[in-house]
Amino acid sequence: MDAVREALCNDYAAKSVQLLLADYGLATLQPVHPAAGAPHSVPAHTGPAGRAFGSQEPFVEKLTDGEVRLHLPVTARGDRLGVLAVTMPSAEHAQECLGELTDVAQVLAHEVIVADRDTDLYLRARRTDRLTLAAEMQWQLLPGRACARPEYALGAQLEPAYSIHGDNFDWSASADRLMLYVTNGMGEGIEASLLTNLGINALRNARRAGLSIADQAALADQAVYAQYRGDAYLSVLLLDLELSTGRLQVVDAGSPQMLRLRGRGVDALDIEAQLPLGMFEETDYVAHELSIEPGDRLLFASDGVYDVIAPGGERYGERALARAIVSTSLLPAAEVPRAVLRELSGHRGTPVADDDALVVCLDWFGPRQPS
């Protein structure tokens, strides 16, 4: 950030430069270097910075003495990290520099991701509270909170963000396919996190060896069983999407719930349920093919979502989840999980979840058209 600030002040006549990063709960934007007298955080979805973060478009805030502040999305491959706030001497000068400064913010996003390997500076800035050890392990295991390409867009969120246990998501994209895992964890605290870590790394190991999702599930099943001998197991939904055709293969190993929005209709996708990973020794798994069309939205939810009980005793359930999917249909995939979880908190009656709650949203736009 020191290098970015120096470059923007020297080359673009910027008056001040500040990087704000989204916290783990996606509720606030936290300054990496809090300025004297400035608020320590700002809302992530209201105000000038929040508008830029939510819309993923630059927002110009008018200040006194003719100065303006540009709020620029800091985003890498669809993963929204935060906002770069740049104060400029005039609106005219800001408009002239807007395109280049927007590019700088995008480059900065990639550099922050690289820097996270070597420093805790940006990870610490994202925290409004201390993470539990189990949550620390889970967040380090995650690939990001969003990912976008011409063919698809992904978004995911976990609650309670600062004390999650075992729920998890993982994805990997190549030139021709997207693989996605959605995990409904078992147990609590460190034990739940250790189980999920073993399962996800076993799946990654098999995936990186070039194996199919059915074989990935079988090898991860063996790894979990060898460690726990059936006393603990992992429910995982594995998906393999071929980007050139939209062919989707799924292994349902005791999975989270999977719903599809097509047009204005929501339906639960029926997949043959198979045993969770690690329940029995040497389980065989079979991948099933599903039909998806361009414009389809797939939403995955853990039992911490659809099994939530309201104060009056009513279960959230599939119908309420379907209503939430329809009500958020105009939002981009990256915004949907937070919106669904916010509606869930209203049903629950308390802002903090008792159990892990995981929502993942996948939008399929269709194969990339040849240029």
Side-chain angles (χ1 to χ4, degrees), residues 78-162:
D79 193 9
R80 304 173 306 154
L81 304 184
V83 171
L84 183 66
V86 184
T87 304
M88 303 295 284
S90 69
E92 294 77 12
H93 184 55
Q95 194 60 44
E96 290 173 4
C97 303
L98 182 59
E100 291 185 17
L101 293 179
T102 300
D103 290 341
V104 168
Q106 300 303 303
V107 173
L108 176 60
H110 290 269
E111 293 302 314
V112 167
I113 291 173
V114 173
D116 278 345
R117 299 181 309 181
D118 304 311
T119 178
D120 288 338
L121 174 65
Y122 303 105
L123 293 170
R124 291 178 63 184
R126 296 182 180 114
R127 303 177 184 209
T128 60
D129 200 355
R130 182 176 178 179
L131 294 176
T132 64
L133 180 53
E136 186 83 54
M137 294 167 68
Q138 289 295 75
W139 282 109
Q140 288 298 309
L141 194 62
L142 298 175
R145 281 188 293 210
C147 178
R149 281 186 29 175
E151 301 95 335
Y152 66 84
L154 263 170
Q157 181 62 11
L158 283 161
E159 285 190 354
Y162 290 84

Side-chain angles (χ1 to χ4, degrees), residues 18-71:
Q18 187 176 49
L19 174 61
L20 303 161
L21 294 176
D23 86 301
Y24 286 92
L26 288 177
T28 63
L29 297 169
Q30 307 279 119
V32 173
H33 295 292
H40 186 66
S41 63
V42 297
H45 300 279
T46 59
R51 290 181 64 172
F53 183 72
S55 69
Q56 288 296 287
E57 296 289 341
F59 182 81
V60 181
E61 177 188 7
K62 293 182 179 179
L63 305 176
T64 57
D65 301 325
E67 293 182 350
V68 298
R69 182 174 293 127
L70 298 177
H71 298 274

Side-chain angles (χ1 to χ4, degrees), residues 198-200 202-203 206 215-225 277-278:
L198 174 60
I200 290 296
L203 288 169
D215 289 337
Q216 291 173 33
L219 287 183
D221 170 71
Q222 292 175 25
V224 174
Y225 185 83
L277 306 184

Side-chain angles (χ1 to χ4, degrees), residues 190-212:
I190 295 296
E191 291 300 321
S193 184
L194 287 170
L195 172 61
T196 300
N197 266 261
L198 174 60
I200 290 296
N201 279 296
L203 288 169
R204 287 175 175 174
N205 179 254
R207 182 183 73 211
R208 291 163 185 169
L211 301 183
S212 68

Side-chain angles (χ1 to χ4, degrees), residues 16 24 62 78 90-91 126 134 136 160 179 188 223 227 229 238 240 246 257-258 279 305 312 314 332 345 355:
S16 67
Y24 286 92
K62 293 182 179 179
S90 69
R126 296 182 180 114
E136 186 83 54
M179 290 193 183
E188 296 183 358
Q227 182 65 32
R229 312 306 295 180
L238 299 88
D240 180 4
Q257 198 149 355
M258 179 177 177
M279 181 173 279
V305 176
E314 181 186 357
S345 69
D355 187 16

